Amino acid sequence: MLVEMTNCFVENDSVASVSLSEISSSSSVSDRACVHWGCVLSDSKTTAVFQAENDLLENQFFIKTICLSEEAGDEMHIVAVCDSVGASKPLPIATLRHCMPMISFPSLELIPPVTFKLSSGKGPVFISAQHITLNPIEMTEGEEDDEEEDEDG
C-alpha cells in the first residue's frame, strides 16, 4: 500500500492537492493510493470542494477530523457537507465551540465530489480527510468463466 501525506489548502477558489499521477501506481501489495487531504474554512472562504481526478477508478473519501482554530471566536461554528449521493442541500455534520473544539469521525465515507460549507461562524475551521483510489482488479479468464457459470445458473 502506498501512503503519501500532504497538506492541501484553499487558494484562489480552488483546492490544491497532490496529483494522483505523481504517486507511483505500481504496488506489490495492492493497486491503491492513499492521500491525506485537508482544507481551512473561514469567513473569507466559507466553501471548499474535493473533486476526484479520475472518475473511472473507485474513489473513497473519508472525513477524519474537523477542528476549530485557537483564533476562532467564541461562537457556534457549524460545518455542513454534501456529496454526489446525498441531497443538494448541505447537511450539518459538526457543531464546534471552544468548549468542544474538535470532532473525529471513525468511518464517515462520502462519494466525491464533496462540498464543505461553513454555514455558521467565522472560523477558521480545519478539516482533514483521507482519499483512497482503488484500481479495478483484473480477473483471470478462469475467474470470468466461473462468474459466468454462476450467473447462468
Side-chain angles (χ1 to χ4, degrees):
M1 172 172 58
L2 294 174
V3 179
E4 181 169 318
M5 297 186 74
T6 182
N7 289 327
C8 303
F9 54 93
V10 178
E11 181 179 75
N12 298 330
D13 296 328
S14 66
V15 176
S17 64
V18 170
S19 169
L20 289 178
S21 61
E22 294 173 13
I23 300 173
S24 172
S25 63
S26 63
S27 172
S28 60
V29 178
S30 67
D31 287 334
R32 75 180 192 177
C34 178
V35 179
H36 180 78
W37 182 89
C39 67
V40 179
L41 299 178
S42 65
D43 58 348
S44 63
K45 181 65 179 170
T46 60
T47 304
V49 178
F50 171 80
Q51 175 70 47
E53 291 181 17
N54 190 340
D55 288 338
L56 299 176
L57 301 176
E58 182 179 349
N59 291 285
Q60 297 176 327
F61 187 77
F62 296 93
I63 299 174
K64 295 297 183 184
T65 306
I66 299 178
C67 181
L68 186 61
S69 171
E70 185 178 327
E71 293 88 31
D74 190 25
E75 60 187 322
M76 194 71 67
H77 298 81
I78 299 174
V79 177
V81 66
C82 65
D83 67 0
S84 64
V85 176
S88 59
K89 183 178 178 182
L91 299 171
I93 59 168
T95 302
L96 304 171
R97 200 165 180 171
H98 281 288
C99 60
M100 188 178 152
M102 184 176 78
I103 186 167
S104 295
F105 300 93
S107 61
L108 178 57
E109 180 180 3
L110 299 169
I111 307 299
V114 179
T115 303
F116 296 94
K117 180 172 175 50
L118 183 61
S119 57
S120 178
K122 295 180 182 175
V125 174
F126 303 103
I127 300 173
S128 71
Q130 184 177 40
H131 175 222
I132 300 174
T133 303
L134 303 172
N135 290 327
I137 299 172
E138 295 181 18
M139 292 191 288
T140 63
E141 288 182 26
E143 290 174 335
E144 289 175 355
D145 292 341
D146 291 341
E147 189 172 291
E148 288 174 6
E149 289 173 9
D150 291 341
E151 289 175 3
D152 291 339

